[in-house]
């Protein structure tokens, strides 16, 4: 039975080892050679995109579903996870992501709670008998401010980000419509999954462009950078990680479009998986928008 | 058994979109009223909580899964409960 | 049977298979080989350090290299030896234990392994003088690219372990044979489930921390700067909220293996299986809320110390339950003494010694004295070397005939065992004594301690520790030699390599069919 399958993959070790290229890219980044860094990360992304496209092409040529796409019968009978179907992996991955973003937002906000006197944390801490004097040496202006003493709403462009929030929510809506269409089996029609996915990717790209514009104007006009105290550092950490996830989501959506186009899409579960990831990014943005921009 | 997910006549996706937009407008306009930061924080947090759960329940269709509460607990509540102390203990360090 | 195995056992000499294999057994063996290569070099670093410490004063290591040595030794041993070994044994055993043909994502499995190789390259090439804990401000103000390499290596290793964790969870959930309910699942697979959950849940924490340090170094962000109102202690919290759960990533698979080996060689069921599973669950969850016990002395505004002391004491309860269950399994059973069993006993010994010293350092008044001394070093080496690596060695001996189709040399294995156990007790026992005598960890030249009244004892115990370390070195050399030599020249294994009732860890096809029939009948 073992001889029937050739247990060898040519692409997998290349993808695995190409993470070394990303590593060298990060290393160049840390040394200030940004052009080289982006080139190396670009090579890595090209390898990943190439291998996924190759894989989708391979699957479009085979009629039967691929072996690891099938959900075994035993799994469907599982008392706890049996109802989940193929999308279980994305839910497992989302466990990791929930922790990741809870921590990024939570750690940043906890730093803010100590520094920012207006939020009423000190009263609670005093009541609970917890220490409150984090700003030990007082070298920095008190409060949640940048190096020039400006509070978030004085630095950040709230109307623009509100617009951006609407953009992302809308993309979530088109994504869910794509899933609805895919479940009906409508992939290529005018209001089919492919067009809705393309719309989602486009709106997602709009979101990213607005974010890049925001970054550029913050850095150039407002002199607000990573070095602008804890406020600046945590701002770029949170929104940057979120933006990278949006980028990943867009790439994932484009893979799905290609998969539909090439005829490798056998059912709606892949659209659903992409959608779950995309909506999760939306959830993260809702929390980010509130805690970073509005409060 | 799980095939029944194919027939759900109309899910209120557009309604949810409108509610999300309205809640966002409320959130943003509350910040311009000038109430004290401590109260504002709790208002905004609860609004954001409602919005996030709307997306989770309808767009991520947790609500329509056979075991919504189990899924919600395993994926959102438990990881959040694990991460929350890690995120907020450092402030007292 | 044996001849058929023989033809497949040299698969790794074919470069296409070596790089591209997606077979779980072969990737498991790749993980083990990777782990062996790393343990040889990281062990050499340890021996160099111990040799330098044989005499007080400078002998042959340059002082500027010293910190790099212990950083890389610690990091490599944790991420690329013990964790890789857990992943390797999981790869090899889990599909067999649950009756699956392979892991759920065979190709992701390969990708996760080959990601680990560049990761280890970055860590090895860093030689960063920061300690494996990378505390700021030291880790941030150091120039050059050493620390950056270290950070990049760990980010890659973390990504790899998340992929591996999702793969393991999917495999156990998706691919169990019909009839194998969660309750019937064996203890090793359970331990891998909990290990995967910890990897999934804890790795994001360290990723955030590493990225913060990376940005602080490369772009000057002020996450850990007192000037900006934060504090270097912030890093300690982030770091240890990952690194304490990480300890359980290393020890849980070893616990599972020990349970299996002890029950096989006692020829009886594991005593109190449900309590074993619940203990592992308790250890997993409690492991996330004990990290503050690393910071008892660090901060004047320390988080509520009593809370972390309490939770850590609570973790001693499931650990104790497990220990007594192992003892009772042996008590109830009919013991056959053989190599894997001896190593499982050695795990229990190391685990108890490390656990008891762990409870001691968790007590705040004692920790104020023992913090950052060799007592702590002795404590965690007992757990990881005496505990985890013993269990892993035992498991490798147990599945050796299945992996290679041949049998290892038993005499050499006994020699390995004797040198190993005596070696680690000498080394880490002396380290505990050294800590109590007041020797701080990470010292390069301890002649400054000559002001202490017990200085001659400090020198004596350092020498004993060095002798023990070299005994471990001999033990491991025997192990590696035995492993490689027997793979090519050992005698062919027969069906029953051990004289016990069930001479393997997994079920045979007939037993699977029996289980399935039982399921159909219900």
């Amino acid at each position: 039975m073992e001889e029937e399958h050739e247990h060898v993959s040519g692409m997998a070790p290349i993808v695995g080892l190409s993470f070394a290229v990303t590593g060298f890219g990060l290393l160049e980044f840390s040394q200030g050679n940004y052009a080289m860094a982006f080139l190396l990360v670009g090579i890595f992304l090209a390898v990943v995109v190439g291998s996924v496209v190759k894989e989708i092409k391979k699957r479009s040529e085979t009629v039967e579903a691929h072996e690891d796409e099938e959900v075994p019968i035993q799994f469907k009978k599982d008392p706890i996870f049996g109802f989940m179907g193929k999308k279980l992996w994305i839910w497992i991955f989302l466990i990791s992501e929930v922790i990741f973003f809870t921590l990024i937002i939570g750690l940043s906000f906890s730093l803010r709670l100590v520094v920012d006197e207006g939020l009423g944390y000190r009263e609670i801490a005093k009541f609970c008998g917890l220490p409150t004097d984090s700003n030990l040496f007082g070298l920095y202006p008190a409060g949640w401010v940048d190096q020039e003493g400006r509070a978030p709403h004085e630095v950040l462009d709230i109307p623009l980000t509100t617009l951006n929030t609407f953009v992302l929510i809308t993309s979530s809506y088109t994504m869910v419509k794509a899933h609805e269409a895919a479940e009906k089996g409508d992939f290529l029609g005018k209001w089919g999954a492919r067009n809705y996915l393309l719309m989602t990717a486009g709106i997602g790209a709009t979101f990213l462009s607005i974010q890049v514009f925001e970054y550029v104007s913050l850095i150039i006009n407002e002199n607000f950078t990573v070095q602008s105290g804890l406020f600046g550092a945590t701002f770029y950490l949170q929104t940057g990680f979120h933006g990278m996830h949006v980028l990943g989501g867009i790439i994932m959506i484009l893979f799905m479009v290609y998969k539909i186009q090439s005829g490798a899409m056998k059912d709606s579960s892949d659209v659903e998986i992409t959608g779950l990831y995309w909506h999760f990014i939306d959830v993260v943005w809702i929390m980010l928008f509130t805690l970073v921009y509005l409060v | 058994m799980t095939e029944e997910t194919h027939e759900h006549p109309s899910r209120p996706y557009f309604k949810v979109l409108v509610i999300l937009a309205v809640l966002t407008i409320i959130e943003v306009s509350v910040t311009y009223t000038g109430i004290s930061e401590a109260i504002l924080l709790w208002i905004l947090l609860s609004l954001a909580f409602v919005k996030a759960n709307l997306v989770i329940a309808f767009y991520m269709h947790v609500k329509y899964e056979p075991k919504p509460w189990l899924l919600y607990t395993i994926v959102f509540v438990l990881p959040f409960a694990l991460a929350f102390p890690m995120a907020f203990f450092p402030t007292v360090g | 049977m044996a001849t058929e195995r023989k033809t497949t056992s040299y698969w790794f000499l074919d470069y296409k298979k070596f790089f591209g294999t997606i077979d779980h057994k072969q990737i498991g063996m790749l993980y083990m080989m990777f782990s062996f290569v790393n343990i040889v070099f990281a062990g050499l670093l340890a021996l160099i350090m111990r040799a330098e410490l044989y005499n007080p004063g400078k002998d042959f290591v340059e002082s500027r290299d010293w910190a790099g040595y212990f950083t890389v030794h610690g990091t490599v041993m944790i991420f690329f030896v013990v964790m890789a070994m857990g992943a390797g044994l999981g790869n090899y055993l889990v599909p067999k234990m649950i009756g699956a043909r392979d892991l759920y994502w065979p190709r992701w499995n390969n990708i996760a392994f080959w990601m680990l190789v560049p990761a280890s390259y970055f860590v090895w090439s860093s030689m960063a003088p920061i300690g494996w804990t990378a505390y700021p401000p030291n880790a941030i103000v150091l120039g050059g690219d050493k620390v950056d390499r270290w950070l990049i290596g760990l980010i890659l290793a973390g990504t790899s372990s998340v992929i591996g964790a999702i793969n393991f969870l999917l495999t156990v959930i998706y691919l169990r044979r019909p009839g194998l309910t969660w309750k019937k699942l064996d203890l090793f697979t359970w331990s891998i489930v909990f290990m995967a959950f910890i990897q999934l849940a804890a790795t994001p924490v360290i990723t955030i921390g590493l990225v913060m340090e990376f940005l602080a170094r490369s772009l000057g962000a002020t996450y850990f700067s007192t000037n900006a109102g934060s504090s270097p202690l912030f890093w300690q919290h982030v770091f240890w909220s990952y690194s304490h759960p990480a300890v359980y990533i290393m020890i849980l698979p070893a616990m599972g293996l020990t349970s299996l080996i002890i029950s096989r060689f006692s020829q009886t069921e594991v005593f109190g299986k449900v309590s074993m599973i619940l203990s592992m669950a308790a250890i997993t969850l409690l492991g996330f809320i004990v990290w503050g016990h690393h910071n008892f002395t660090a901060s004047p505004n320390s988080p509520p110390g009593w809370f972390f002391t309490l939770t850590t004491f609570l973790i001693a309860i499931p650990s104790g339950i497990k220990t007594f269950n192992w003892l009772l399994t042996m008590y109830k059973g009919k013991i056959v003494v053989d190599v894997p069993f001896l190593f499982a006993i050695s795990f229990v010994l190391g685990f108890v010694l490390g656990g008891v010293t762990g409870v001691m350092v968790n007590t705040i008044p004692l920790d104020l004295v023992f913090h950052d001394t060799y007592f702590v070093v002795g404590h965690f080496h007992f757990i990881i070397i005496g505990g985890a690596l013993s269990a892993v060695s035992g498991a490798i001996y147990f599945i050796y005939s299945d992996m290679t189709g041949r049998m290892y040399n038993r005499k050499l294995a006994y020699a390995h065992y004797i040198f190993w156990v005596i070696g680690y007790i000498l080394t880490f026992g002396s380290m505990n004594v050294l800590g109590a005598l007041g020797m701080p960890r990470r010292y390069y030249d301890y002649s400054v301690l000559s002001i202490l009244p017990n200085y001659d004892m400090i020198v004596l115990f350092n020498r004993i520790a060095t002798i023990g370390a070299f005994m471990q070195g001999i033990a491991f050399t025997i192990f590696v030699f035995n492993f490689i030599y027997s793979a090519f020249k050992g005698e062919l294994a027969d069906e029953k390599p051990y004289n016990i009732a069930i001479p393997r860890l997994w079920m045979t096809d007939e037993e699977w069919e029996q289980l399935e029939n039982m399921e159909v009948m219900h």
Side-chain angles (χ1 to χ4, degrees):
Chain A
M1 202 203 278
E2 297 265 316
E3 283 73 38
E4 285 170 20
H5 302 278
E6 199 191 349
H7 279 285
V8 171
S9 158
M11 218 53 211
I14 296 175
V15 174
L17 287 169
S18 71
F19 276 88
V21 182
T22 331
F24 283 113
L26 288 173
L27 197 61
E28 294 292 336
F29 183 85
S30 72
Q31 302 305 308
N33 309 328
Y34 300 122
M36 192 63 190
F38 283 112
L39 179 70
L40 287 171
V41 175
I43 291 175
F44 165 72
L45 283 178
V47 172
V48 171
V49 169
S51 59
V52 175
V53 166
K54 198 178 153 218
E55 182 61 35
I56 291 172
K57 212 176 232 169
K58 201 173 94 193
R59 285 188 194 186
S60 67
E61 284 156 7
T62 54
V63 182
E64 77 275 20
H66 199 267
E67 57 176 303
D68 63 11
E69 281 195 356
E70 281 174 43
V71 178
I73 304 159
Q74 160 66 13
F75 165 64
K76 286 190 184 144
K77 280 198 281 183
D78 191 288
I80 303 174
F81 302 100
F83 65 90
M84 199 85 85
K86 255 194 249 173
K87 58 181 183 282
L88 178 68
W89 76 264
I90 193 76
W91 283 115
I92 294 180
F93 179 63
L94 285 185
I95 294 177
S96 196
E97 291 283 71
V98 169
I99 292 192
F100 186 83
F101 278 107
T102 309
L103 271 166
I104 276 205
I105 302 173
L107 286 171
S108 307
F109 199 71
S110 71
L111 285 174
R112 174 173 183 175
L113 278 176
V114 189
V115 178
D116 197 340
E117 284 159 5
L119 291 176
Y121 167 73
R122 292 188 179 208
E123 284 70 27
I124 299 172
K126 246 177 237 159
F127 182 75
C128 299
L130 299 171
T132 52
D133 50 343
S134 141
N135 204 347
L136 287 172
F137 300 98
L139 295 176
Y140 210 74
W144 192 247
V145 289
D146 70 350
Q147 76 278 23
E148 287 159 34
R150 291 172 300 182
H153 60 89
E154 291 164 334
V155 183
L156 305 171
D157 191 346
I158 307 257
L160 183 72
T161 358
T162 310
L163 175 71
N164 226 358
T165 308
F166 286 128
V167 168
L168 202 62
I169 292 172
T170 317
S171 82
S172 244
Y173 174 70
T174 53
M175 188 74 223
V176 91
K177 290 302 271 187
H179 173 225
E180 202 177 42
E183 272 196 334
K184 284 178 193 144
D186 182 7
F187 286 105
L188 294 162
K190 191 183 170 199
W191 299 107
R194 180 192 56 183
N195 289 358
Y196 270 122
L197 281 174
L198 279 173
M199 252 188 265
T200 314
I203 301 172
T206 315
F207 174 86
L208 268 191
S209 332
I210 294 179
Q211 204 179 15
V212 169
F213 170 76
E214 185 203 2
Y215 273 21
V216 171
S217 75
L218 279 178
I219 292 169
I220 293 175
N221 301 338
E222 307 276 350
N223 190 23
F224 178 74
T225 62
V226 202
Q227 298 175 4
S228 304
L230 285 177
F231 172 34
T234 55
F235 172 82
Y236 284 105
L237 185 75
Q238 297 171 78
T239 53
F241 262 118
H242 178 262
M244 268 153 58
H245 279 77
V246 174
L247 184 64
I250 292 174
I251 294 175
M252 207 162 150
I253 289 171
L254 291 178
F255 283 150
M256 289 310 125
V257 172
Y258 179 70
K259 202 169 179 180
I260 292 173
Q261 199 68 33
S262 67
M265 187 78 85
K266 303 283 194 293
D267 56 15
S268 67
S269 64
D270 279 342
V271 179
E272 186 178 7
I273 287 166
T274 317
L276 286 172
Y277 180 72
W278 191 257
H279 300 313
F280 177 72
I281 296 172
D282 193 18
V283 172
V284 171
W285 178 256
I286 288 170
M287 301 314 287
L288 265 187
F289 177 61
T290 308
L291 287 175
V292 175
Y293 290 89
L294 293 183
V295 173
Chain B
M1 280 171 285
T2 49
E3 308 307 315
E4 66 204 337
T5 46
H6 282 286
E7 39 191 89
H8 36 78
S10 60
R11 288 180 177 174
Y13 292 139
F14 191 73
K15 225 184 258 174
V16 172
L17 177 68
V18 172
I19 297 174
L20 285 175
V22 170
L23 285 179
T24 309
I25 293 169
I26 295 176
E27 265 194 317
V28 177
S29 42
V30 165
T31 54
Y32 288 101
T33 53
I35 46 175
S36 91
E37 230 180 301
I39 299 167
L40 183 70
L41 172 67
W42 289 106
I43 295 174
L44 289 177
L45 266 184
S46 33
L47 283 173
F49 179 79
V50 172
K51 278 167 70 184
N53 279 297
L54 277 175
V55 175
I56 291 169
F58 290 96
Y59 285 177
M60 296 174 89
H61 41 80
V62 169
K63 188 175 181 294
Y64 305 112
E65 296 285 354
K67 294 179 183 172
W69 287 107
L70 182 74
L71 187 62
Y72 186 68
T73 312
I74 291 181
V75 181
F76 293 99
V77 180
L78 181 70
F80 184 79
L82 281 180
F84 190 80
M86 290 187 200
F88 285 91
F89 258 118
T91 52
V92 281
Chain C
M1 196 67 177
T3 46
E4 190 209 335
R5 279 205 198 115
K6 200 186 151 213
T7 52
T8 53
S9 58
Y10 304 124
W11 58 271
F12 49 85
L13 297 177
D14 176 5
Y15 80 97
K16 257 189 192 162
K17 282 227 151 180
F18 181 78
F19 284 103
T21 177
I22 51 171
D23 180 65
H24 71 97
K25 279 162 79 175
Q26 296 176 350
I27 292 180
M29 284 189 249
L30 278 180
Y31 268 111
M32 287 178 214
M33 290 182 211
F34 173 75
S35 171
F36 271 174
V37 171
N38 276 305
I39 202 175
V40 166
F41 288 103
L44 276 177
L45 281 183
L47 289 185
I48 291 171
M49 287 191 286
R50 275 318 320 169
E52 168 67 39
L53 288 172
Y54 187 76
N55 286 321
K58 175 183 180 313
D59 290 327
F60 53 89
V61 179
E62 290 299 322
S63 60
R64 64 168 182 272
D65 297 336
W66 183 255
Y69 285 4
F70 65 69
T71 306
V72 173
H73 166 78
T75 317
V76 167
M77 281 290 187
I78 288 163
F79 289 93
F80 306 122
V81 173
V82 185
M83 284 191 195
M85 205 54 113
L89 285 167
N91 256 297
Y92 194 90
L93 286 174
V94 164
K96 278 171 163 280
M97 304 294 271
I98 61 174
R101 195 156 44 80
D102 207 321
L103 286 183
Y104 190 69
W105 283 342
R107 269 165 302 175
W108 275 107
N109 197 13
N110 180 307
I111 292 174
F113 173 74
W114 286 109
M115 269 172 82
L116 211 54
V117 176
S120 78
Y121 161 75
F122 279 109
V123 170
W124 272 108
S125 68
S126 72
M127 282 289 167
I130 46 177
W132 86 280
T133 48
Y135 282 173
N138 180 25
I140 287 171
V141 297
L142 275 174
D145 63 356
K146 286 182 167 184
V147 186
D148 299 306
R149 280 172 182 273
W150 186 87
L151 294 169
I152 291 165
L154 286 200
I155 291 173
L156 290 184
T159 317
S160 157
S161 78
V162 169
I163 296 173
I166 297 178
N167 207 351
F168 277 131
L169 286 174
L170 286 173
T171 309
V172 177
I173 294 168
Y174 276 156
L175 297 181
R176 296 190 319 265
R177 273 283 178 100
L180 189 65
T181 55
W182 285 101
K183 222 177 156 185
K184 285 184 190 151
L185 211 57
D186 64 281
L187 283 170
F188 176 66
T189 312
W190 267 112
S191 74
I192 288 287
V193 168
F194 290 122
M195 179 199 84
F197 179 76
I198 300 178
Q199 284 184 331
L200 195 69
T203 313
V205 190
I206 193 71
T207 310
I208 295 167
L210 294 168
V211 168
M212 279 178 172
E213 272 206 349
F214 185 77
L215 291 179
R217 286 178 56 78
S218 52
L219 297 178
T222 50
Y223 301 110
F224 310 112
S225 158
T226 349
N227 292 2
S230 181
S231 145
L233 298 177
F234 183 54
W235 164 261
Q236 294 196 16
H237 285 282
V238 178
F239 179 79
W240 287 113
S241 14
Y242 164 73
S243 291
H244 200 86
V247 174
Y248 298 111
I249 297 178
M250 292 184 267
I251 201 74
L252 279 172
M255 286 173 166
L257 291 168
T258 305
S259 309
L260 285 184
I261 294 174
I262 284 183
S263 94
R264 289 294 191 270
F265 282 87
S266 307
Q267 311 193 67
T268 178
E269 290 288 299
V270 180
F271 184 86
K273 188 179 168 190
V274 177
S275 70
M276 289 293 230
I277 297 168
L278 291 178
S279 311
M280 282 197 279
I283 289 173
T284 304
L285 289 180
L286 282 174
F288 282 92
I289 46 169
V290 296
W291 77 91
H293 64 216
H294 295 269
N295 309 342
F296 283 150
T297 63
S299 159
N301 291 345
S302 145
W306 60 266
F307 174 78
F308 290 115
T309 306
L310 182 71
T311 49
T312 316
F313 278 144
L314 282 180
I315 252 185
I317 295 171
S319 310
I321 290 175
K322 292 189 81 71
T323 310
F324 283 109
N325 280 352
W326 289 320
L327 295 180
L328 281 169
T329 311
M330 288 187 250
Y331 178 74
K332 298 248 167 186
K334 204 162 143 283
I335 297 176
V336 174
V337 178
D338 211 322
V339 178
F341 179 71
L342 287 175
F343 277 97
I345 301 281
S346 157
F347 168 86
V348 181
L349 177 68
F351 184 65
V352 167
L353 286 171
V356 170
T357 48
V359 170
M360 285 166 77
V361 279
N362 171 49
T363 319
I364 295 180
L366 284 178
D367 185 67
L368 293 179
V369 182
F370 287 143
H371 186 84
D372 259 351
T373 65
Y374 261 89
F375 194 88
V376 181
V377 181
H379 150 67
F380 64 73
H381 278 88
F382 261 133
I383 295 270
I384 292 174
I385 304 293
L389 275 185
S390 288
V392 159
S393 312
I396 288 176
Y397 277 127
F398 202 6
I399 61 176
Y400 190 82
S401 59
D402 188 70
M403 275 197 287
T404 60
R406 288 168 188 273
M407 200 59 194
Y408 54 87
N409 185 323
R410 270 214 175 70
K411 279 189 188 124
L412 284 178
Y414 284 126
H416 167 201
Y417 178 73
I418 289 166
F419 274 107
W420 180 251
V421 174
I422 297 177
Y424 82 66
I425 290 179
L426 281 184
T427 313
F428 308 130
S430 328
M431 281 183 177
N432 281 335
V433 178
L434 280 172
L437 290 173
M439 172 148 170
R441 68 194 279 200
R442 292 175 175 176
Y443 265 35
Y444 159 70
D445 171 4
Y446 57 95
S447 58
V448 287
L449 299 178
S450 55
I451 48 166
L452 293 178
N454 291 321
Y455 179 61
D456 44 346
M457 294 289 276
I458 289 181
V459 177
L460 174 69
F461 276 103
N462 263 305
R463 291 189 170 159
I464 297 176
T466 305
I467 292 167
F470 275 89
M471 287 181 77
Q472 290 176 59
I474 294 169
F476 208 80
T477 314
I478 297 172
F479 184 27
V480 171
F481 172 77
N482 195 359
F483 191 89
I484 297 173
Y485 178 81
S486 305
F488 292 93
K489 300 272 163 155
E491 55 186 272
L492 292 178
D494 47 16
E495 276 298 279
K496 214 164 184 273
Y498 300 103
N499 190 22
I500 48 178
I502 313 169
R504 61 185 178 278
L505 292 175
W506 42 85
M507 290 201 244
T508 56
D509 286 340
E510 297 90 69
E511 283 166 325
W512 283 123
E513 270 161 32
Q514 223 174 342
L515 197 68
E516 276 173 45
N517 291 340
M518 263 169 63
E519 179 74 1
V520 171
M521 275 178 0
H522 278 295

